[in-house]
Amino acid sequence: MQEELKKKLENLEAEVNKVDFWNDKNKAQAILKEINFLKSEISGKNKYDVGHAIINIFSGAGGDDAEDFSRILLEMYEKYAEKNNWDYRIIDETENDHGGYRNVVLELIGPNAYGLLKNESGVHRLVRLSPFNAKNLRQTSFSMVEVLPKIEKDNEIVVSDSDIKIEMSKAGGPGGQNVNKRETAVRIVHIPTGISARSASERSQVQNKEKALQILKGKLFKLKEEEKKAEQSGIHISKTISINWGNQIRSYVFHPYKMIKDHRTEVETANIDKILNGELNEFIEAEKNL
C-alpha cells in the first residue's frame, strides 16, 4: 500500500514540474492538494493538515496600536496566501475608525493551508513608535492569532443542536444596504465550552449559519488537540489565554532596533519588511518540529 502511494506521489510531482502546470489554476491546486494528502498518508500527518484554513485574529492589550497590529498581521497572512496561489477572503470583521481590527476572520482556500499555518497560533507582540499618540512614544501591543482547520463534512466533529445557541444580527461591512438591513449575520455559541463562532460574509442566514458552524467545529477540534497534547505532557491548559505580556510566541520589534523573533524556535531576522510582505517560510519551516 505504501509503495502504491509513493508511486502515485512521484507521478503527481512530475506533473508539477511541467512548464504548463499553472495554466489551469483549478487543476493545479487540485493536484497540489492530492500531493499533500498523499504525503500526509505516507508520513501519518493529521488529515486536516492538507486542507483549507481559517485564521481568527483579535486584539489584546494596546488599544488602537493593538487593533492596527491585527491589520498588519491580516495583511501579512493575505500576502503569504498570494505567494502560495491560494484564494482568501474576510468572512467576519469588527473594524475600528482607524482601519484596524478588534477582530477579523480570514478564510484561506488552498492545499495544505492548515498544515503550514497551524503553528502560527498564539500571542504576537509588537513594539514600535506609536502613530496614535501625540508624542510618538514607544508602545507595546498584542494580538492573538488562532489558526483553525476548515471542517466541512466530517462525522468526527459532532455538534448537537441541543448544545448550541444561535444568535442573529445585522451584517455590517460590504454587501450593500439590503444586507445590512436584514439580520443575516449568525453567531453560534457552544454551550458546554462557551466557545463561539460568527459569520457575516454570506448573503443569507442559512449560509452564514453553515460557515459559523465550520468555524465552531474548527475551534472544537483545536481544543481537543490542545487537551490531548496537555494530557500527554502532564500539564494543565487554560481555556483562556491572556493576550498580553508573557504569553507571546513571537515579537515584532520596529524600534529601537528592527527584529522579528519567534520565542519557541529562536528563529529571528532583522528584515522585517520581508516577513510583513508574507515571506514566512523560515519561521514556518522551523515551526514544523513544534
Side-chain angles (χ1 to χ4, degrees):
M1 182 64 177
Q2 285 286 89
E3 290 304 314
E4 292 177 11
L5 292 176
K6 288 178 180 178
K7 184 64 178 176
K8 188 174 181 180
L9 178 61
E10 287 176 9
N11 292 335
L12 289 174
E13 288 179 332
E15 290 288 316
V16 174
N17 293 323
K18 292 182 179 179
V19 293
D20 62 346
F21 177 71
W22 283 107
N23 288 356
D24 186 336
K25 183 179 178 182
N26 291 333
K27 181 182 177 182
Q29 289 187 336
I31 290 173
L32 289 174
K33 184 174 182 179
E34 179 69 9
I35 285 173
N36 286 314
F37 173 77
L38 290 171
K39 285 181 177 178
S40 71
E41 286 291 295
I42 293 168
S43 66
K45 226 161 71 178
N46 188 296
K47 67 176 181 177
Y48 297 123
D49 283 5
V50 299
H52 311 317
I54 293 169
I55 299 182
N56 187 12
I57 305 172
F58 40 102
S59 304
D64 287 339
D65 278 279
E67 292 167 8
D68 192 55
F69 185 33
S70 291
R71 174 193 61 80
I72 291 170
L73 292 172
L74 170 69
E75 292 175 357
M76 181 181 76
Y77 292 122
E78 287 176 336
K79 289 171 183 175
Y80 179 75
E82 289 169 1
K83 291 181 185 301
N84 282 279
N85 293 298
W86 298 342
D87 293 323
Y88 62 86
R89 64 171 181 150
I90 292 173
I91 59 176
D92 191 30
E93 59 185 323
T94 304
E95 195 172 1
N96 68 14
D97 296 332
H98 308 296
Y101 294 95
R102 295 181 179 89
N103 71 278
V104 59
V105 183
L106 180 70
E107 182 180 48
L108 299 173
I109 306 299
N112 211 33
Y114 178 66
L116 287 169
L117 290 171
K118 63 182 180 180
N119 288 319
E120 288 290 294
S121 292
V123 176
H124 295 238
R125 167 181 171 251
L126 172 66
V127 181
R128 68 172 178 179
L129 297 178
S130 172
F132 299 106
N133 64 58
K135 295 183 179 180
N136 197 221
L137 299 175
R138 190 168 65 172
Q139 172 75 37
T140 301
S141 54
F142 302 85
S143 288
M144 167 73 86
V145 173
E146 180 183 45
V147 184
L148 310 169
K150 184 181 178 186
I151 299 175
E152 298 177 77
K153 296 178 181 178
D154 194 327
N155 294 328
E156 288 185 21
I157 310 295
V158 179
V159 178
S160 171
D161 289 342
S162 61
D163 284 340
I164 60 175
K165 179 174 66 174
I166 300 175
E167 302 169 350
M168 266 72 79
S169 62
K170 291 180 181 178
Q177 292 182 346
N178 291 334
V179 172
N180 294 332
K181 286 179 180 177
R182 295 168 53 211
E183 290 192 334
T184 55
V186 175
R187 179 174 180 262
I188 300 178
V189 180
H190 187 248
I191 298 168
T193 61
I195 291 173
S196 66
R198 183 179 185 271
S199 174
S201 62
E202 308 296 340
R203 290 189 171 272
S204 73
Q205 284 184 359
V206 172
Q207 291 171 314
N208 277 321
K209 179 183 176 183
E210 182 179 347
K211 186 72 66 179
L213 194 57
Q214 287 178 359
I215 299 170
L216 180 66
K217 286 185 175 183
K219 289 189 175 189
L220 292 174
F221 167 79
K222 194 81 170 182
L223 177 62
K224 185 178 179 182
E225 287 291 289
E226 289 171 354
E227 289 176 338
K228 187 188 299 182
K229 287 181 182 178
E231 184 179 344
Q232 290 172 349
S233 59
I235 62 172
H236 171 74
I237 64 164
S238 172
K239 296 292 191 297
T240 59
I241 297 176
S242 182
I243 314 174
N244 55 26
W245 185 274
N247 293 310
Q248 67 268 11
I249 63 165
R250 186 179 299 154
S251 292
Y252 303 69
V253 182
F254 297 179
H255 182 83
Y257 52 88
K258 292 186 176 182
M259 183 188 72
I260 299 178
K261 179 177 181 178
D262 193 292
H263 302 292
R264 303 161 301 173
T265 63
E266 300 300 318
V267 171
E268 63 180 70
T269 179
N271 192 344
I272 63 174
D273 291 334
K274 179 184 75 170
I275 302 303
L276 298 182
N277 196 42
E279 297 183 32
L280 299 173
N281 286 340
E282 60 186 301
F283 287 104
I284 289 172
E285 285 299 317
E287 289 170 5
K288 287 182 178 179
N289 296 320
L290 292 175

